[in-house]
Amino acid sequence: MSKKIRMGMIGGSLDGFIGSVHRMAAALDGTIELVCGAFSSNAKRSIETGNALDLPEDRIYVSFEEMIAKEAQLPADLRMQFVSIVTPNHLHAQPAALALKHGFHVLCEKPLAFSFEEAKKIGEHVKRTGLLFGVTHTYTGYPMVKEAKDLIAKGKLGKIRKVIVEYPQGWLSDPIENDGQKQASWRTNPAQAGISCCVGDIGTHAENLVEYITDLKITELSADVSSVVAGRTLDDDANVLLRFNNGAKGILIASQIANGEENELKIRVYGEHGGLKWLQSEPNTLIVKQNDQPTQLRRAGANHSYLSEHARLHCRIPAGHPEGYIEAMANLYRNFAASIHAFENKTSSNPLLDYPTIEDGIRGMQFIETVIASGKENAAWKQL
């Protein structure tokens, strides 16, 4: 790209976690420039964040409404081209709709919205405007996730029979929301998170990873959903049986009370001819197994010619140098920026430079709603 894509940010003040992660990811490849922001609903905090990021005073806003309205009035070669929304769930839909209405592309944190109904309305805005909309399901950006997807697409495992995906965390094993821990407070609050904590926060990552890697769709599920910690309103643990559109069966585990676990996202896929395993804690390795063959360890690395083109496009450095979470998210930002460049220049973008779309976001909200409904009916089977 000859020019950097200009980004605005909603949310992501300096006292939060995710905003700085997004800014690092967006800046990593040099294809995106942060030009403005409304970083907090607290005007003082938004201004402090903008000043710390060395933004011009007239591009630091105290509300997303002000930012979108004023950016839209700027000359086309100065205004932001897309907005990154990194707020809690209940503050996704309104800024997303307003940004689309004013002609800006949107990249939004997951889950997409506060509710499935809100998600569908955002989808209608995207369809009506024809603009680009991405959702930051970060784990799809890892090179070896791309390699797993490619192996399955080429039939190397044969017909998929079974999928097991796990996302255990332990950070909510105690009621830390009662002590004012910011990340826990909003995630466990129905007024900000919606109908789910655990399933919405990390269960959607597991669901998205399964459907992305296998290219299968979950058709039915049965969910045992729990609020384990006393006094907690929303779920902190879920065990879900899955049925897929090709007849395969699966298990999805999402837990935030798995004491001692950090971010142990893991997926195993088994087909007629072999299986594979990928762990987020060891992201540069994809394990491939067959009954009559030695186990393969496929490794990330831009110089590994045996990897698929899809995987190599998402490797930045030679083998043996770790690439991780920031780089995975940076792949989504880079790919989204490339798509904006192609959109505005009316050219075709490389289909391998992919990112989760509005459809993935809507699918995730439908998954949340279906899991919670099943859980309320004692793990009744529900169609998705």
Side-chain angles (χ1 to χ4, degrees):
M1 293 184 291
S2 58
K3 293 183 178 180
K4 290 185 178 183
I5 298 295
R6 298 178 299 278
M7 177 181 85
M9 179 169 278
I10 297 173
S13 66
L14 293 179
D15 62 347
F17 155 69
I18 201 65
S20 60
V21 171
H22 279 262
R23 288 188 287 270
M24 285 186 281
L28 188 60
D29 290 293
T31 59
I32 295 171
E33 179 184 10
L34 178 68
V35 297
C36 64
F39 300 103
S40 174
S41 55
N42 181 300
K44 182 174 181 291
R45 193 174 300 140
S46 184
I47 292 169
E48 288 174 347
T49 301
N51 287 335
L53 296 172
D54 203 27
L55 289 176
E57 288 188 6
D58 61 347
R59 304 294 288 277
I60 304 170
Y61 303 101
V62 297
S63 72
F64 70 82
E65 294 94 341
E66 179 194 26
M67 184 180 89
I68 292 169
K70 288 189 175 179
E71 287 292 313
Q73 294 171 5
L74 293 175
D77 61 343
L78 293 178
R79 69 171 77 113
M80 67 178 182
Q81 292 164 277
F82 82 98
V83 62
S84 174
I85 301 175
V86 296
T87 55
N89 304 354
H90 71 299
L91 295 174
H92 288 179
Q94 191 177 354
L98 193 62
L100 292 165
K101 179 181 178 181
H102 283 78
F104 299 114
H105 308 287
V106 177
L107 188 62
C108 185
E109 254 296 341
K110 49 88 334 243
L112 175 60
F114 185 72
S115 67
F116 182 39
E117 287 304 314
E118 270 194 357
K120 289 190 290 185
K121 288 179 181 178
I122 297 173
E124 291 169 3
H125 288 301
V126 174
K127 185 176 181 180
R128 182 164 55 251
T129 61
L131 295 168
L132 302 177
F133 198 105
V135 180
T136 51
H137 279 296
T138 306
Y139 306 107
T140 64
Y142 280 104
M144 301 317 287
V145 167
K146 308 292 187 185
E147 180 72 0
K149 180 178 179 66
D150 185 80
L151 285 172
I152 291 172
K154 290 178 178 175
K156 299 297 184 180
L157 302 189
K159 181 183 177 182
I160 302 305
R161 293 170 165 173
K162 189 174 186 67
V163 182
I164 304 170
V165 62
E166 307 167 45
Y167 201 154
Q169 297 176 334
W171 73 292
L172 289 179
S173 293
D174 297 308
I176 58 175
E177 62 267 28
N178 296 339
D179 299 325
Q181 208 275 5
K182 183 177 180 180
Q183 299 302 319
S185 294
W186 77 257
R187 283 176 170 83
T188 57
N189 182 355
Q192 293 181 286
I195 63 173
S196 172
C197 172
C198 179
V199 175
D201 192 26
I202 60 175
T204 50
H205 273 311
E207 167 268 328
N208 177 260
L209 189 66
V210 165
E211 294 198 340
Y212 179 75
I213 286 179
T214 66
D215 202 29
L216 299 176
K217 295 296 182 185
I218 301 166
T219 56
E220 291 181 281
L221 59 81
S222 168
D224 182 14
V225 183
S226 304
S227 298
V228 175
V229 174
R232 186 168 285 160
T233 304
L234 297 180
D235 57 288
D236 50 25
D237 185 78
N239 303 285
V240 189
L241 296 178
L242 308 172
R243 294 172 179 166
F244 293 91
N245 57 342
N246 76 331
K249 304 294 176 66
I251 302 168
L252 184 151
I253 299 170
S255 181
Q256 292 173 312
I257 49 88
N259 214 310
E261 295 288 0
E262 295 175 342
N263 267 308
E264 194 62 12
L265 175 61
K266 176 168 61 178
I267 184 169
R268 287 170 281 170
V269 182
Y270 300 102
E272 293 174 316
H273 307 315
L276 59 79
K277 178 167 67 174
W278 179 81
L279 294 81
Q280 203 259 160
S281 58
E282 297 287 343
N284 294 314
T285 300
L286 178 67
I287 301 169
V288 183
K289 298 182 177 184
Q290 292 176 298
N291 285 338
D292 58 349
Q293 297 290 330
T295 296
Q296 294 182 22
L297 300 181
R298 296 187 173 222
R299 297 279 293 162
N303 58 323
H304 277 331
S305 60
Y306 65 77
L307 293 177
S308 65
E309 181 185 2
H310 201 183
R312 292 198 308 275
L313 277 173
H314 293 84
C315 295
R316 291 177 171 76
I317 49 183
H321 298 82
E323 296 190 61
Y325 180 73
I326 299 295
E327 289 86 351
M329 185 177 283
N331 282 333
L332 302 190
Y333 270 94
R334 180 199 63 179
N335 295 356
F336 193 66
S339 294
I340 292 174
H341 188 269
F343 180 95
E344 297 190 350
N345 288 277
K346 297 180 172 58
T347 58
S348 298
S349 58
N350 186 340
L352 296 181
L353 296 179
D354 56 347
Y355 57 88
T357 65
I358 184 67
E359 288 79 12
D360 297 297
I362 294 171
R363 181 77 173 166
M365 292 306 305
Q366 187 182 29
F367 174 77
I368 295 168
E369 185 175 272
T370 308
V371 167
I372 298 303
S374 174
K376 287 181 176 179
E377 297 181 28
N378 196 29
W381 281 97
K382 296 285 184 180
Q383 290 189 343
L384 180 60

Short mmCIF file of all heavy atoms in Angstrom, two decimals, residues 15 25 70 85 110 135 158 201 210 214 235 345 380 384:
data_model
loop_
_atom_site.label_atom_id
_atom_site.label_comp_id
_atom_site.label_asym_id
_atom_site.label_seq_id
_atom_site.Cartn_x
_atom_site.Cartn_y
_atom_site.Cartn_z
N ASP A 15 -5.92 3.29 30.92
CA ASP A 15 -6.08 2.48 32.12
C ASP A 15 -6.74 1.13 31.85
O ASP A 15 -7.01 0.38 32.77
CB ASP A 15 -6.88 3.25 33.19
CG ASP A 15 -8.29 3.59 32.73
OD1 ASP A 15 -8.57 3.46 31.53
OD2 ASP A 15 -9.11 3.99 33.59
N ALA A 25 -0.93 -3.74 17.68
CA ALA A 25 -1.20 -4.60 16.53
C ALA A 25 -1.40 -3.78 15.26
O ALA A 25 -0.87 -4.12 14.19
CB ALA A 25 -2.43 -5.47 16.79
N LYS A 70 -17.43 14.94 13.46
CA LYS A 70 -16.38 15.87 13.05
C LYS A 70 -15.43 15.26 12.03
O LYS A 70 -14.96 15.96 11.13
CB LYS A 70 -15.63 16.37 14.29
CG LYS A 70 -16.46 17.33 15.14
CD LYS A 70 -15.63 17.97 16.23
CE LYS A 70 -16.45 19.02 16.99
NZ LYS A 70 -15.68 19.66 18.08
N ILE A 85 -13.39 -0.33 17.33
CA ILE A 85 -14.23 -0.24 18.53
C ILE A 85 -13.74 -1.26 19.56
O ILE A 85 -13.79 -2.46 19.31
CB ILE A 85 -15.70 -0.49 18.18
CG1 ILE A 85 -16.19 0.54 17.16
CG2 ILE A 85 -16.57 -0.44 19.44
CD1 ILE A 85 -17.61 0.30 16.66
N LYS A 110 -14.87 -8.49 19.79
CA LYS A 110 -15.91 -9.48 19.96
C LYS A 110 -16.31 -9.53 21.43
O LYS A 110 -15.54 -9.09 22.28
CB LYS A 110 -15.47 -10.85 19.45
CG LYS A 110 -14.13 -11.32 19.93
CD LYS A 110 -13.87 -12.07 21.18
CE LYS A 110 -14.62 -12.10 22.40
NZ LYS A 110 -13.91 -11.60 23.60
N VAL A 135 -14.34 -8.32 12.65
CA VAL A 135 -14.47 -8.64 14.07
C VAL A 135 -13.15 -9.26 14.51
O VAL A 135 -12.62 -10.16 13.84
CB VAL A 135 -15.64 -9.61 14.32
CG1 VAL A 135 -15.76 -9.93 15.81
CG2 VAL A 135 -16.95 -9.03 13.79
N GLY A 158 -9.04 -36.10 5.47
CA GLY A 158 -10.26 -36.79 5.06
C GLY A 158 -11.49 -36.12 5.66
O GLY A 158 -11.42 -35.01 6.18
N ASP A 201 -17.40 -14.18 26.26
CA ASP A 201 -16.04 -13.68 26.27
C ASP A 201 -15.07 -14.64 25.58
O ASP A 201 -14.30 -14.23 24.69
CB ASP A 201 -15.60 -13.45 27.71
CG ASP A 201 -14.29 -12.67 27.82
OD1 ASP A 201 -13.98 -11.92 26.89
OD2 ASP A 201 -13.60 -12.81 28.84
N VAL A 210 -13.26 -23.17 15.70
CA VAL A 210 -13.71 -24.45 15.15
C VAL A 210 -14.26 -24.27 13.75
O VAL A 210 -13.87 -25.00 12.81
CB VAL A 210 -14.79 -25.07 16.06
CG1 VAL A 210 -15.52 -26.20 15.33
CG2 VAL A 210 -14.18 -25.61 17.33
N THR A 214 -12.21 -25.73 10.35
CA THR A 214 -12.83 -26.89 9.68
C THR A 214 -13.70 -26.52 8.50
O THR A 214 -13.99 -27.38 7.66
CB THR A 214 -13.69 -27.68 10.67
OG1 THR A 214 -14.81 -26.86 11.07
CG2 THR A 214 -12.90 -28.10 11.89
N ASP A 235 -22.71 -16.60 33.67
CA ASP A 235 -21.98 -17.87 33.62
C ASP A 235 -20.47 -17.65 33.72
O ASP A 235 -19.93 -16.67 33.21
CB ASP A 235 -22.32 -18.60 32.32
CG ASP A 235 -22.00 -17.76 31.09
OD1 ASP A 235 -22.74 -16.78 30.83
OD2 ASP A 235 -21.04 -18.06 30.38
N ASN A 345 -9.82 1.66 -3.89
CA ASN A 345 -9.19 1.77 -5.22
C ASN A 345 -9.89 0.89 -6.26
O ASN A 345 -9.41 0.77 -7.39
CB ASN A 345 -7.71 1.41 -5.13
CG ASN A 345 -6.90 2.47 -4.43
OD1 ASN A 345 -6.49 3.45 -5.04
ND2 ASN A 345 -6.66 2.29 -3.14
N ALA A 380 -30.88 -28.91 27.04
CA ALA A 380 -31.71 -29.37 25.92
C ALA A 380 -31.01 -29.09 24.60
O ALA A 380 -30.31 -28.08 24.44
CB ALA A 380 -33.05 -28.63 25.95
N LEU A 384 -28.83 -24.46 15.87
CA LEU A 384 -28.08 -23.23 15.67
C LEU A 384 -28.18 -22.85 14.21
O LEU A 384 -27.63 -23.55 13.37
CB LEU A 384 -26.60 -23.42 16.08
CG LEU A 384 -25.70 -22.21 15.93
CD1 LEU A 384 -26.18 -21.05 16.77
CD2 LEU A 384 -24.26 -22.56 16.33
#
